[in-house]
Structures are given as structure tokens and as C-alpha cells.
Amino acid sequence: MRKFVPFTKKPPFVPVIRLSGSIGAGSRFSPALSDASLAQQVDRAFTRGKPAAVALIINSPGGSPVQSSLIAARIRRLADEKGIPVHAFVEDVAASGGYWLACAADNIWVDNSSIVGSIGVIFASFGFPGLMAKHGVERRVHTAGTSKSLADPFLPEKPEDVARLKALQEPIHNAFINHVTSQRGQRLSTTTDLFNADVWVGQGAVDVGLADGVAHLVPKMKSLYGDKVKLNIVGERKSMLQRLGISFGGMGASLASGAMAEVEDRSLWARYGL
């Protein structure tokens, strides 16, 4: 006689996506977060089985506003389509584009020492006209179009260039503000200027509504979805050639671009003392 086996309900599971590093196109030697590189991970997290929620682990100083927007939009679109709640857990920092990503979640949780915010836009460059003049180097620029040499680091800074750059930054800043306000809504403080690119730490971010509480991934997920909840890390799928470290193309050019990307990446982290 066949033994009856009572129905056992499977424990809930939560896919976990790690969003760590600067945001941008990146390179083979200095990878960065981009919509293209994360598409498979994000899609898999929302479409494999019936997850109780999706968790994001965020540790990013920011980077490209466009890539930040694309990644966040993908997460939010799938969350709404599938009716799956999203929780963001901030590690060291979720600033600038990193906070843009965090706002794709329904709730944002921070550590007591997490740096959060920097809702602003920055353009950074160098100026070398004095150095060139000292060494007798002459700069020759010929353009078709008056804006082609905008903010040329080898020419003295022009007030009209500064005004033009600020005009370019304004719509990007407004898009960032609209994203935060649409996601955080009435949770945001109405007595604090949250959009001047300032940052808050831990509980301070909670107090002004940029985060929902101080909590860590495992205990928080257990408190929300039960002690038996399974946390499944969703990793990027790599081809056999990528796993073996084999690639094709100009090694010299890749090394040079990778070095420049590394310098930019370090400068983003250094802005927050990391």
C-alpha cells in the first residue's frame, strides 16, 4: 500500500542581487555597473519561480546618471509587473547614482555607518593653461560649431562655458529629484533640504526619510518572511572564454582605458572617504 506523504509547503525564497561598484560602461579591466551587464541577473531574479521578494545589496558611490536610471527602471518595471516587493540594503555607501539605485526598492535599509544621499550632479575636470604656458606649449583648436571646445582643459575657463555646463546639469538633477520623490513620497522630510547633494549617515538618513530603518539583510528578511526563508545570490552568467580569462582585441588600448577607468572609480570612492 502506498504511503501517504502530507503536502509540505516550500519555504519562501528571496533572490539577492549585489550592486557593488561605480556605475557606467566600465571595461574588462575595470568593470562597472550598467544596465547591459546586469540585465540577465535582474531579469532572472524576478522571473525564476515565485520569489517572496527581491533584495538588493548596494555599495556604490555613483557614476553615470543614464545607467543609474536604466538599471533602476528595469528593477522597478519588473517589480510592478510581477507584484514583487523589493528591499535595498546599503553597505558602505549609496550616494548619487548609488542612491538612485536604492530608490528602485520599496524599502531602503541601512547600517548605522552607511553613507546615503548626495542627490546632485557633478562635472569635474582639470585646467592646464598655466602649465602649458610655462613650458611653451601652444594649444591649437579649430572647430565647426562654437560649443565643440566646451570646457577644454587646455584653455582658460570661460564664464559662458560654466553657465552652459550648469544648464546641462539642471535637467539631470531634476530627473534625479523626480525619481526620489516619486519613490519615497511622503516619507521624505519637508523641513530638510534633501536635494543639495548633502549626505547623511545611518539613522540620520532614516530621520530625514531617505531610508526606512537600520537593518541587515539576513535578520531583516527572516523577520519579514520567516526563519526558513532562503536567500539565493543571483550571479552574472559568464561564457567559457570569460571564465578562463580569454578575450580578443587590442591589449594596449584596453589596459590604457582600464587604467583611466580605475582612476575615475577611485576618485568616486574617495569622495566619501572610502
Side-chain angles (χ1 to χ4, degrees), residues 17 34-36 38-47 54 56 66-86 100-101 103-106 179 182-183:
I17 306 171
S34 70
D35 182 54
L38 291 167
Q40 287 186 348
Q41 291 173 254
V42 174
D43 291 349
R44 197 156 67 247
F46 284 95
T47 58
V54 170
L56 312 174
V66 173
Q67 291 302 321
S68 302
S69 177
L70 289 172
I71 297 167
R74 179 182 294 274
I75 293 169
R76 196 65 254 156
R77 181 172 62 252
L78 287 166
D80 292 339
E81 287 177 0
K82 304 294 183 180
I84 298 173
V86 180
W100 196 315
L101 298 183
C103 282
D106 298 285
H179 174 63
S182 66
Q183 290 299 116

Side-chain angles (χ1 to χ4, degrees), residues 131-152:
L131 180 64
M132 293 174 63
K134 180 179 178 180
H135 292 278
V137 179
E138 181 183 355
R139 173 73 163 162
R140 296 173 180 174
V141 180
H142 307 281
T143 68
T146 56
S147 293
K148 269 297 181 181
S149 61
L150 178 71
D152 190 324

